[in-house]
Amino acid sequence: MQKQRIVEVEYEDHVATFPAPRARPELRLANADDVSVVGPARRLQNDLARAFAAESGWSVKRTVIVGCVFHGVVLGSLAVAAGNLLPHIARWGG
């Protein structure tokens, strides 16, 4: 009897707390009049790209060289870290 009363009270509270249903937004197809949405991160990225391009006349060759240097530094640091890890592994195994 007590269990049934608890279920009835919980059910009544649960029903009472539901909000009224909202009207669904109407779906439509985009057309030429719609404006694209550009987030702040994309806007910052575009501004930085424009600043770098205007400042020094970035070329594809320069971009490739900077990318290679960046990846070389990252891979070099990973190689140094792995080189320092090998003696520790050999010591643990011995």
Side-chain angles (χ1 to χ4, degrees):
M1 185 67 179
Q2 184 66 24
K3 184 176 179 182
Q4 183 180 3
R5 178 68 184 142
I6 291 172
V7 170
E8 288 174 2
V9 170
E10 287 178 355
Y11 178 75
E12 289 171 3
D13 290 343
H14 187 64
V15 171
T17 59
F18 273 129
R22 294 185 297 176
R24 292 182 178 236
E26 189 176 317
L27 296 178
R28 63 180 183 80
L29 295 175
N31 57 25
D33 297 333
D34 292 330
V35 179
S36 65
V37 177
V38 178
R42 177 68 64 176
R43 208 172 309 122
L44 176 63
Q45 183 182 14
N46 291 338
D47 291 344
L48 287 173
R50 253 186 257 113
F52 278 119
E55 180 181 299
S56 60
W58 242 186
S59 66
V60 174
K61 182 179 178 182
R62 178 179 268 173
T63 304
V64 169
I65 291 171
V66 169
C68 288
V69 169
F70 173 78
H71 285 88
V73 169
V74 170
L75 291 175
S77 63
L78 288 172
V80 168
N84 288 334
L85 182 65
L86 290 177
H88 293 292
I89 292 174
R91 200 173 338 145
W92 287 337

